[in-house]
Amino acid sequence: MLRPYAGHLTDRIGRRPLLLAGTALAATSLALTALATDLTTIIALRLLLGVAEAAFFVAGFAALVDIAPPDRLGEALSLNSLGLYLGLAAGPPLGEVLTQRSFPTAWLTAAALCAAATAAAAFIGETGTPSRTRNAKLIHRPAIPPSIGLCAALAASGGFLAFAALRAQEEGFENTSLPLFLYGATVVVSRAVFAKVPDRMPPLKLGAIALAVIATGLILTATPHTLIAGSIVLGAGVTFSTPAFFAAIFATAEPHQRGAASGTASAFIDIGLGGGPILLGVIANAGIPAALATGGALAAAGCLWTLILSRAR
C-alpha cells in the first residue's frame, strides 16, 4: 500500500532521503525486535519494517534508472537484481546459524546489516531532480499495462517457490531443496552472464519470450520426472522477465516521474508474489501438479497480454 506514496515522495524530495530513511528505519525496527517480548509489539515492528522496505526499494530503483546510461538500462537492471537474489539466498542460512546462538543475535545482526546499508547510502549523492509539482499522481498509469505482465511472471514463479519442495517430495527427491537451488543458481548466473541481452531486444518482446519460457518451465515441473529440467527452464525465463518489464515500465516515465513509476511497478511485484501462491494454493487442493500447471497457464496468459501490448505500441 505504501509503495505509491514512497514513489510520490521520491519524485517530490529526491531519492537520497528515502534511501537513508528506509535503511535507518529498517535497522531501528530490527534492533527493537530483538528486545520485543509480546506479539503486538512484534507485529507493530514488522509493519514499521514494511514502511522502511517500501521507501528503500522504490527510491533504489528510481536512482538506478537515473544513473544508468539509457543504452545500458537493461544491463543495470539485471545486475541490480543480483543484490536482491543474493540477499534472499544468503539471509536465511545466515539467520539459521545466528539463531543457534540466540534469536536476539540474529535480529541485531540484521539491524547491523541495515546500518551498514545506511552508511553506504550516505555516500550516494542525489541522483534525481526533485519535482515541485504538487499535482503529481500517486499511480503512474502508463506503467500499469507492462506491470500486469510483470505481475503474471511473478505470480507464476511465486507459485513455484511455494510448492517446489513439496513437488520434489512427491517425486521422491532425498534433497527437496534441489529444485529451488537450481532455479536460484540459474537466475543468478544467467543474469550475470547475459546482463547485456535486455538492451539488445525490445523490452516487451523480450518480456513475452520470458513469459513463454516461464510457462514451459512450469509445465515441465508439473510433468512426472522433469522437475529438474523445469526448474532450470523456469530460472532462464525469470532471468529476463524482471529486467525486460522494468525497462518497458521506465520507458513510459519522464525523469520526474520515475519514483511514481517505480512505486506503481513494485506494488505489482507484491501483488504477484503475494497473490500467486494464494491463488495456486487453492488449486493445490486438487494436487500440486495442477497448481504448477495453472501457474504455467497464468504465465501463458501474461505472454499473450504482453504480445498484444507490444503490437499496440
Side-chain angles (χ1 to χ4, degrees), residues 72-138:
R72 298 181 65 188
L73 178 59
E75 180 183 2
L77 289 166
S78 293
L79 296 176
N80 180 66
S81 65
L82 286 180
L84 177 64
Y85 272 85
L86 291 173
L88 290 174
L94 174 62
E96 186 174 0
V97 170
L98 292 171
T99 52
Q100 291 176 2
R101 299 188 61 180
S102 71
F103 275 95
T105 300
W107 294 121
L108 291 173
T109 303
L113 289 171
C114 288
T118 306
F123 287 96
I124 301 175
E126 180 55 63
T127 63
T129 303
S131 172
R132 303 303 176 190
T133 304
R134 293 188 175 274
N135 60 352
K137 304 293 186 182
L138 282 177

Short mmCIF file of all heavy atoms in Angstrom, two decimals, residues 72-138:
data_model
loop_
_atom_site.label_atom_id
_atom_site.label_comp_id
_atom_site.label_asym_id
_atom_site.label_seq_id
_atom_site.Cartn_x
_atom_site.Cartn_y
_atom_site.Cartn_z
N ARG A 72 22.17 1.13 -21.63
CA ARG A 72 22.61 0.01 -20.77
C ARG A 72 21.66 -0.19 -19.60
O ARG A 72 22.03 -0.79 -18.60
CB ARG A 72 24.03 0.28 -20.26
CG ARG A 72 25.08 0.38 -21.35
CD ARG A 72 26.46 0.61 -20.77
NE ARG A 72 26.92 -0.51 -19.97
CZ ARG A 72 28.04 -0.49 -19.23
NH1 ARG A 72 28.78 0.59 -19.19
NH2 ARG A 72 28.39 -1.56 -18.53
N LEU A 73 20.41 0.32 -19.74
CA LEU A 73 19.46 0.21 -18.65
C LEU A 73 19.14 -1.25 -18.33
O LEU A 73 19.06 -1.64 -17.16
CB LEU A 73 18.18 0.97 -18.99
CG LEU A 73 17.06 0.90 -17.95
CD1 LEU A 73 17.54 1.43 -16.60
CD2 LEU A 73 15.83 1.65 -18.42
N GLY A 74 18.93 -2.07 -19.36
CA GLY A 74 18.63 -3.48 -19.12
C GLY A 74 19.76 -4.18 -18.38
O GLY A 74 19.51 -4.98 -17.47
N GLU A 75 21.00 -3.88 -18.75
CA GLU A 75 22.15 -4.46 -18.05
C GLU A 75 22.17 -4.03 -16.60
O GLU A 75 22.40 -4.85 -15.69
CB GLU A 75 23.44 -4.03 -18.75
CG GLU A 75 24.70 -4.58 -18.11
CD GLU A 75 25.96 -4.06 -18.78
OE1 GLU A 75 25.86 -3.24 -19.72
OE2 GLU A 75 27.06 -4.47 -18.35
N ALA A 76 21.91 -2.74 -16.36
CA ALA A 76 21.90 -2.23 -14.98
C ALA A 76 20.81 -2.91 -14.15
O ALA A 76 21.03 -3.28 -12.99
CB ALA A 76 21.70 -0.72 -14.99
N LEU A 77 19.63 -3.08 -14.73
CA LEU A 77 18.54 -3.74 -14.01
C LEU A 77 18.86 -5.20 -13.71
O LEU A 77 18.54 -5.71 -12.63
CB LEU A 77 17.25 -3.64 -14.83
CG LEU A 77 16.63 -2.24 -14.93
CD1 LEU A 77 15.57 -2.19 -16.02
CD2 LEU A 77 16.01 -1.83 -13.60
N SER A 78 19.53 -5.87 -14.65
CA SER A 78 19.91 -7.27 -14.43
C SER A 78 20.90 -7.38 -13.28
O SER A 78 20.75 -8.22 -12.38
CB SER A 78 20.53 -7.85 -15.71
OG SER A 78 19.57 -7.96 -16.74
N LEU A 79 21.93 -6.54 -13.30
CA LEU A 79 22.95 -6.61 -12.25
C LEU A 79 22.39 -6.16 -10.91
O LEU A 79 22.75 -6.71 -9.86
CB LEU A 79 24.15 -5.75 -12.65
CG LEU A 79 24.90 -6.23 -13.90
CD1 LEU A 79 26.02 -5.26 -14.26
CD2 LEU A 79 25.46 -7.63 -13.70
N ASN A 80 21.51 -5.16 -10.91
CA ASN A 80 20.91 -4.69 -9.67
C ASN A 80 20.10 -5.79 -8.98
O ASN A 80 20.12 -5.92 -7.76
CB ASN A 80 20.02 -3.49 -9.96
CG ASN A 80 19.36 -2.94 -8.70
OD1 ASN A 80 20.02 -2.43 -7.82
ND2 ASN A 80 18.04 -3.05 -8.63
N SER A 81 19.41 -6.58 -9.79
CA SER A 81 18.57 -7.63 -9.20
C SER A 81 19.40 -8.73 -8.56
O SER A 81 18.88 -9.50 -7.74
CB SER A 81 17.65 -8.23 -10.28
OG SER A 81 18.42 -8.90 -11.28
N LEU A 82 20.69 -8.82 -8.92
CA LEU A 82 21.54 -9.82 -8.27
C LEU A 82 21.65 -9.54 -6.77
O LEU A 82 21.75 -10.47 -5.97
CB LEU A 82 22.94 -9.81 -8.91
CG LEU A 82 23.06 -10.42 -10.30
CD1 LEU A 82 24.49 -10.34 -10.79
CD2 LEU A 82 22.58 -11.86 -10.30
N GLY A 83 21.67 -8.26 -6.40
CA GLY A 83 21.72 -7.93 -4.98
C GLY A 83 20.53 -8.50 -4.24
O GLY A 83 20.67 -9.04 -3.13
N LEU A 84 19.34 -8.39 -4.85
CA LEU A 84 18.13 -8.92 -4.23
C LEU A 84 18.21 -10.44 -4.09
O LEU A 84 17.95 -10.99 -3.02
CB LEU A 84 16.92 -8.52 -5.08
CG LEU A 84 15.56 -9.05 -4.62
CD1 LEU A 84 15.21 -8.48 -3.27
CD2 LEU A 84 14.48 -8.69 -5.64
N TYR A 85 18.61 -11.12 -5.17
CA TYR A 85 18.64 -12.58 -5.13
C TYR A 85 19.73 -13.10 -4.20
O TYR A 85 19.53 -14.07 -3.46
CB TYR A 85 18.83 -13.15 -6.54
CG TYR A 85 17.54 -13.36 -7.27
CD1 TYR A 85 16.92 -12.32 -7.96
CD2 TYR A 85 16.89 -14.58 -7.25
CE1 TYR A 85 15.71 -12.50 -8.61
CE2 TYR A 85 15.68 -14.78 -7.90
CZ TYR A 85 15.10 -13.74 -8.57
OH TYR A 85 13.89 -13.93 -9.22
N LEU A 86 20.90 -12.46 -4.21
CA LEU A 86 21.97 -12.90 -3.32
C LEU A 86 21.59 -12.66 -1.86
O LEU A 86 21.90 -13.48 -0.99
CB LEU A 86 23.27 -12.16 -3.67
CG LEU A 86 23.90 -12.54 -5.00
CD1 LEU A 86 25.09 -11.64 -5.32
CD2 LEU A 86 24.36 -14.00 -5.00
N GLY A 87 20.90 -11.54 -1.59
CA GLY A 87 20.45 -11.28 -0.23
C GLY A 87 19.43 -12.30 0.24
O GLY A 87 19.52 -12.83 1.36
N LEU A 88 18.47 -12.62 -0.65
CA LEU A 88 17.46 -13.61 -0.29
C LEU A 88 18.07 -15.00 -0.14
O LEU A 88 17.57 -15.83 0.62
CB LEU A 88 16.36 -13.63 -1.36
CG LEU A 88 15.45 -12.40 -1.41
CD1 LEU A 88 14.49 -12.49 -2.60
CD2 LEU A 88 14.66 -12.26 -0.12
N ALA A 89 19.15 -15.27 -0.88
CA ALA A 89 19.79 -16.58 -0.79
C ALA A 89 20.65 -16.69 0.46
O ALA A 89 20.68 -17.73 1.13
CB ALA A 89 20.65 -16.83 -2.03
N ALA A 90 21.36 -15.61 0.82
CA ALA A 90 22.29 -15.67 1.94
C ALA A 90 21.61 -15.41 3.28
O ALA A 90 22.07 -15.91 4.31
CB ALA A 90 23.42 -14.65 1.73
N GLY A 91 20.52 -14.64 3.29
CA GLY A 91 19.88 -14.25 4.54
C GLY A 91 19.37 -15.42 5.38
O GLY A 91 19.71 -15.53 6.56
N PRO A 92 18.57 -16.33 4.82
CA PRO A 92 18.03 -17.43 5.63
C PRO A 92 19.10 -18.33 6.25
O PRO A 92 19.03 -18.61 7.45
CB PRO A 92 17.13 -18.18 4.64
CG PRO A 92 16.70 -17.13 3.67
CD PRO A 92 17.91 -16.26 3.49
N PRO A 93 20.11 -18.81 5.50
CA PRO A 93 21.12 -19.64 6.17
C PRO A 93 21.93 -18.88 7.22
O PRO A 93 22.29 -19.45 8.25
CB PRO A 93 22.02 -20.13 5.02
CG PRO A 93 21.71 -19.25 3.87
CD PRO A 93 20.32 -18.79 4.03
N LEU A 94 22.19 -17.58 6.96
CA LEU A 94 22.87 -16.77 7.98
C LEU A 94 22.01 -16.66 9.23
O LEU A 94 22.51 -16.83 10.36
CB LEU A 94 23.18 -15.38 7.42
CG LEU A 94 23.77 -14.38 8.41
CD1 LEU A 94 25.12 -14.87 8.93
CD2 LEU A 94 23.91 -13.00 7.76
N GLY A 95 20.72 -16.42 9.05
CA GLY A 95 19.82 -16.35 10.19
C GLY A 95 19.75 -17.66 10.96
O GLY A 95 19.69 -17.67 12.19
N GLU A 96 19.78 -18.76 10.22
CA GLU A 96 19.71 -20.07 10.88
C GLU A 96 20.93 -20.30 11.76
O GLU A 96 20.82 -20.79 12.89
CB GLU A 96 19.61 -21.18 9.82
CG GLU A 96 19.38 -22.56 10.40
CD GLU A 96 19.14 -23.60 9.32
OE1 GLU A 96 19.16 -23.24 8.14
OE2 GLU A 96 18.95 -24.77 9.69
N VAL A 97 22.10 -19.92 11.27
CA VAL A 97 23.32 -20.06 12.07
C VAL A 97 23.26 -19.17 13.30
O VAL A 97 23.61 -19.60 14.42
CB VAL A 97 24.56 -19.71 11.21
CG1 VAL A 97 25.81 -19.63 12.09
CG2 VAL A 97 24.75 -20.75 10.12
N LEU A 98 22.80 -17.93 13.13
CA LEU A 98 22.80 -16.98 14.24
C LEU A 98 21.77 -17.35 15.30
O LEU A 98 22.00 -17.14 16.49
CB LEU A 98 22.53 -15.57 13.70
CG LEU A 98 23.65 -14.98 12.84
CD1 LEU A 98 23.19 -13.69 12.18
CD2 LEU A 98 24.90 -14.74 13.66
N THR A 99 20.62 -17.88 14.88
CA THR A 99 19.60 -18.23 15.87
C THR A 99 20.01 -19.42 16.74
O THR A 99 19.42 -19.66 17.79
CB THR A 99 18.25 -18.56 15.19
OG1 THR A 99 18.46 -19.54 14.17
CG2 THR A 99 17.62 -17.31 14.61
N GLN A 100 21.02 -20.18 16.31
CA GLN A 100 21.54 -21.25 17.15
C GLN A 100 22.20 -20.68 18.41
O GLN A 100 22.27 -21.35 19.44
CB GLN A 100 22.52 -22.12 16.37
CG GLN A 100 21.85 -22.94 15.28
CD GLN A 100 22.84 -23.72 14.44
OE1 GLN A 100 24.04 -23.67 14.67
NE2 GLN A 100 22.34 -24.44 13.44
N ARG A 101 22.68 -19.43 18.31
CA ARG A 101 23.20 -18.74 19.49
C ARG A 101 22.05 -18.13 20.28
O ARG A 101 21.91 -18.35 21.46
CB ARG A 101 24.20 -17.66 19.07
CG ARG A 101 25.42 -18.21 18.34
CD ARG A 101 26.46 -17.14 18.12
NE ARG A 101 26.95 -16.59 19.40
CZ ARG A 101 27.86 -15.64 19.48
NH1 ARG A 101 28.39 -15.12 18.37
NH2 ARG A 101 28.26 -15.20 20.66
N SER A 102 21.21 -17.33 19.57
CA SER A 102 20.01 -16.76 20.18
C SER A 102 19.27 -15.97 19.12
O SER A 102 19.87 -15.47 18.16
CB SER A 102 20.35 -15.85 21.37
OG SER A 102 20.96 -14.65 20.92
N PHE A 103 17.97 -15.83 19.29
CA PHE A 103 17.19 -15.02 18.35
C PHE A 103 17.60 -13.54 18.39
O PHE A 103 17.70 -12.91 17.34
CB PHE A 103 15.69 -15.19 18.62
CG PHE A 103 15.10 -16.38 17.93
CD1 PHE A 103 14.97 -17.58 18.60
CD2 PHE A 103 14.69 -16.31 16.61
CE1 PHE A 103 14.44 -18.69 17.97
CE2 PHE A 103 14.16 -17.41 15.97
CZ PHE A 103 14.03 -18.61 16.65
N PRO A 104 17.83 -12.95 19.56
CA PRO A 104 18.29 -11.56 19.57
C PRO A 104 19.58 -11.35 18.77
O PRO A 104 19.75 -10.30 18.13
CB PRO A 104 18.50 -11.26 21.06
CG PRO A 104 17.53 -12.17 21.75
CD PRO A 104 17.53 -13.42 20.93
N THR A 105 20.47 -12.34 18.78
CA THR A 105 21.71 -12.22 17.99
C THR A 105 21.38 -12.08 16.50
O THR A 105 21.98 -11.28 15.78
CB THR A 105 22.60 -13.45 18.21
OG1 THR A 105 22.95 -13.53 19.59
CG2 THR A 105 23.87 -13.35 17.39
N ALA A 106 20.42 -12.87 16.03
CA ALA A 106 20.02 -12.80 14.62
C ALA A 106 19.42 -11.44 14.29
O ALA A 106 19.75 -10.83 13.27
CB ALA A 106 19.03 -13.92 14.31
N TRP A 107 18.52 -10.95 15.14
CA TRP A 107 17.87 -9.66 14.87
C TRP A 107 18.87 -8.52 14.91
O TRP A 107 18.83 -7.61 14.08
CB TRP A 107 16.74 -9.42 15.87
CG TRP A 107 15.59 -10.36 15.76
CD1 TRP A 107 15.12 -11.20 16.73
CD2 TRP A 107 14.77 -10.59 14.61
NE1 TRP A 107 14.06 -11.94 16.25
CE2 TRP A 107 13.82 -11.59 14.95
CE3 TRP A 107 14.74 -10.06 13.32
CZ2 TRP A 107 12.86 -12.05 14.06
CZ3 TRP A 107 13.79 -10.52 12.42
CH2 TRP A 107 12.87 -11.50 12.80
N LEU A 108 19.79 -8.55 15.87
CA LEU A 108 20.77 -7.48 15.99
C LEU A 108 21.76 -7.50 14.81
O LEU A 108 22.21 -6.45 14.35
CB LEU A 108 21.52 -7.58 17.32
CG LEU A 108 20.67 -7.26 18.56
CD1 LEU A 108 21.45 -7.57 19.84
CD2 LEU A 108 20.22 -5.80 18.54
N THR A 109 22.09 -8.70 14.32
CA THR A 109 22.95 -8.79 13.15
C THR A 109 22.24 -8.22 11.92
O THR A 109 22.85 -7.51 11.11
CB THR A 109 23.37 -10.24 12.89
OG1 THR A 109 24.03 -10.75 14.06
CG2 THR A 109 24.30 -10.34 11.70
N ALA A 110 20.95 -8.55 11.79
CA ALA A 110 20.17 -7.99 10.68
C ALA A 110 20.13 -6.46 10.77
O ALA A 110 20.25 -5.76 9.76
CB ALA A 110 18.76 -8.56 10.69
N ALA A 111 19.97 -5.95 12.00
CA ALA A 111 19.98 -4.50 12.19
C ALA A 111 21.32 -3.90 11.80
O ALA A 111 21.40 -2.82 11.19
CB ALA A 111 19.64 -4.16 13.64
N ALA A 112 22.40 -4.60 12.13
CA ALA A 112 23.74 -4.11 11.79
C ALA A 112 23.94 -4.07 10.27
O ALA A 112 24.56 -3.14 9.74
CB ALA A 112 24.80 -5.00 12.44
N LEU A 113 23.40 -5.06 9.58
CA LEU A 113 23.49 -5.06 8.11
C LEU A 113 22.74 -3.86 7.53
O LEU A 113 23.21 -3.21 6.58
CB LEU A 113 22.92 -6.36 7.55
CG LEU A 113 23.77 -7.61 7.79
CD1 LEU A 113 23.00 -8.87 7.39
CD2 LEU A 113 25.07 -7.53 7.01
N CYS A 114 21.58 -3.54 8.09
CA CYS A 114 20.83 -2.38 7.62
C CYS A 114 21.55 -1.08 7.96
O CYS A 114 21.52 -0.12 7.19
CB CYS A 114 19.42 -2.38 8.22
SG CYS A 114 18.35 -3.65 7.53
N ALA A 115 22.21 -1.05 9.11
CA ALA A 115 23.00 0.13 9.46
C ALA A 115 24.16 0.31 8.48
O ALA A 115 24.50 1.44 8.09
CB ALA A 115 23.53 0.00 10.89
N ALA A 116 24.76 -0.81 8.06
CA ALA A 116 25.82 -0.74 7.05
C ALA A 116 25.26 -0.21 5.73
O ALA A 116 25.93 0.55 5.01
CB ALA A 116 26.45 -2.12 6.85
N ALA A 117 24.03 -0.61 5.40
CA ALA A 117 23.39 -0.09 4.20
C ALA A 117 23.13 1.40 4.31
O ALA A 117 23.24 2.14 3.32
CB ALA A 117 22.07 -0.84 3.94
N THR A 118 22.80 1.87 5.50
CA THR A 118 22.62 3.30 5.72
C THR A 118 23.92 4.05 5.45
O THR A 118 23.94 5.10 4.80
CB THR A 118 22.14 3.59 7.16
OG1 THR A 118 20.99 2.82 7.43
CG2 THR A 118 21.82 5.06 7.34
N ALA A 119 25.02 3.50 5.96
CA ALA A 119 26.32 4.13 5.74
C ALA A 119 26.68 4.15 4.26
O ALA A 119 27.20 5.14 3.75
CB ALA A 119 27.39 3.38 6.53
N ALA A 120 26.36 3.05 3.57
CA ALA A 120 26.65 3.01 2.13
C ALA A 120 25.80 4.03 1.38
O ALA A 120 26.28 4.72 0.47
CB ALA A 120 26.39 1.60 1.59
N ALA A 121 24.52 4.13 1.75
CA ALA A 121 23.62 5.07 1.08
C ALA A 121 24.04 6.51 1.32
O ALA A 121 23.79 7.39 0.48
CB ALA A 121 22.19 4.86 1.56
N ALA A 122 24.72 6.77 2.45
CA ALA A 122 25.15 8.13 2.76
C ALA A 122 26.19 8.64 1.76
O ALA A 122 26.33 9.86 1.57
CB ALA A 122 25.72 8.19 4.17
N PHE A 123 26.89 7.70 1.10
CA PHE A 123 27.90 8.10 0.13
C PHE A 123 27.30 8.29 -1.27
O PHE A 123 28.02 8.65 -2.20
CB PHE A 123 29.02 7.06 0.07
CG PHE A 123 29.91 7.08 1.28
CD1 PHE A 123 29.68 6.20 2.33
CD2 PHE A 123 30.96 7.97 1.38
CE1 PHE A 123 30.49 6.21 3.45
CE2 PHE A 123 31.78 8.00 2.50
CZ PHE A 123 31.55 7.12 3.54
N ILE A 124 26.02 8.01 -1.41
CA ILE A 124 25.36 8.18 -2.71
C ILE A 124 24.77 9.58 -2.77
O ILE A 124 23.97 9.96 -1.91
CB ILE A 124 24.25 7.13 -2.91
CG1 ILE A 124 24.83 5.72 -2.82
CG2 ILE A 124 23.54 7.34 -4.24
CD1 ILE A 124 23.78 4.64 -2.88
N GLY A 125 25.16 10.34 -3.74
CA GLY A 125 24.59 11.67 -3.91
C GLY A 125 23.17 11.60 -4.42
O GLY A 125 22.67 10.53 -4.78
N GLU A 126 22.51 12.73 -4.47
CA GLU A 126 21.15 12.78 -5.03
C GLU A 126 21.23 12.58 -6.53
O GLU A 126 21.92 13.32 -7.24
CB GLU A 126 20.50 14.13 -4.69
CG GLU A 126 19.09 14.27 -5.25
CD GLU A 126 18.18 13.13 -4.81
OE1 GLU A 126 17.95 12.99 -3.60
OE2 GLU A 126 17.74 12.36 -5.69
N THR A 127 20.54 11.57 -7.03
CA THR A 127 20.60 11.25 -8.45
C THR A 127 19.49 11.88 -9.26
O THR A 127 19.60 11.99 -10.49
CB THR A 127 20.54 9.72 -8.65
OG1 THR A 127 19.27 9.24 -8.16
CG2 THR A 127 21.65 9.03 -7.88
N GLY A 128 18.40 12.27 -8.61
CA GLY A 128 17.26 12.82 -9.32
C GLY A 128 17.15 14.33 -9.12
O GLY A 128 17.89 14.94 -8.35
N THR A 129 16.22 14.90 -9.85
CA THR A 129 15.90 16.32 -9.70
C THR A 129 14.52 16.41 -9.08
O THR A 129 13.52 16.14 -9.75
CB THR A 129 15.91 17.04 -11.06
OG1 THR A 129 17.19 16.86 -11.66
CG2 THR A 129 15.64 18.52 -10.88
N PRO A 130 14.44 16.74 -7.78
CA PRO A 130 13.13 16.78 -7.13
C PRO A 130 12.14 17.69 -7.86
O PRO A 130 12.49 18.78 -8.30
CB PRO A 130 13.46 17.32 -5.74
CG PRO A 130 14.88 16.95 -5.52
CD PRO A 130 15.53 17.06 -6.86
N SER A 131 10.92 17.21 -8.01
CA SER A 131 9.87 17.96 -8.69
C SER A 131 9.06 18.74 -7.66
O SER A 131 8.72 18.22 -6.60
CB SER A 131 8.95 17.01 -9.46
OG SER A 131 7.84 17.70 -9.97
N ARG A 132 8.76 19.97 -7.98
CA ARG A 132 7.95 20.80 -7.08
C ARG A 132 6.48 20.81 -7.48
O ARG A 132 5.69 21.56 -6.93
CB ARG A 132 8.49 22.25 -7.07
CG ARG A 132 9.95 22.34 -6.67
CD ARG A 132 10.19 21.72 -5.32
NE ARG A 132 11.61 21.71 -4.95
CZ ARG A 132 12.10 21.07 -3.91
NH1 ARG A 132 11.30 20.36 -3.14
NH2 ARG A 132 13.40 21.12 -3.63
N THR A 133 6.14 19.95 -8.44
CA THR A 133 4.75 19.88 -8.89
C THR A 133 3.89 19.24 -7.81
O THR A 133 4.14 18.11 -7.39
CB THR A 133 4.64 19.06 -10.18
OG1 THR A 133 5.50 19.62 -11.16
CG2 THR A 133 3.22 19.06 -10.70
N ARG A 134 2.86 19.94 -7.38
CA ARG A 134 2.04 19.44 -6.28
C ARG A 134 0.93 18.50 -6.75
O ARG A 134 0.33 17.81 -5.94
CB ARG A 134 1.42 20.63 -5.51
CG ARG A 134 2.46 21.46 -4.78
CD ARG A 134 1.81 22.49 -3.89
NE ARG A 134 2.81 23.20 -3.09
CZ ARG A 134 3.28 22.78 -1.93
NH1 ARG A 134 2.85 21.65 -1.43
NH2 ARG A 134 4.19 23.48 -1.27
N ASN A 135 0.65 18.50 -8.05
CA ASN A 135 -0.44 17.66 -8.53
C ASN A 135 0.08 16.36 -9.14
O ASN A 135 -0.57 15.77 -9.99
CB ASN A 135 -1.29 18.42 -9.55
CG ASN A 135 -0.47 18.87 -10.77
OD1 ASN A 135 0.75 18.73 -10.78
ND2 ASN A 135 -1.15 19.39 -11.77
N ALA A 136 1.26 15.95 -8.72
CA ALA A 136 1.81 14.69 -9.22
C ALA A 136 0.91 13.52 -8.79
O ALA A 136 0.34 13.51 -7.70
CB ALA A 136 3.22 14.49 -8.69
N LYS A 137 0.79 12.52 -9.67
CA LYS A 137 -0.08 11.38 -9.42
C LYS A 137 0.61 10.34 -8.55
O LYS A 137 1.81 10.11 -8.66
CB LYS A 137 -0.50 10.74 -10.75
CG LYS A 137 -1.17 11.70 -11.72
CD LYS A 137 -2.51 12.18 -11.21
CE LYS A 137 -3.24 13.02 -12.25
NZ LYS A 137 -4.52 13.53 -11.76
N LEU A 138 -0.17 9.70 -7.68
CA LEU A 138 0.38 8.60 -6.90
C LEU A 138 0.65 7.39 -7.79
O LEU A 138 1.66 6.69 -7.61
CB LEU A 138 -0.60 8.20 -5.79
CG LEU A 138 -0.65 9.08 -4.54
CD1 LEU A 138 -1.73 8.58 -3.61
CD2 LEU A 138 0.70 9.10 -3.84
#
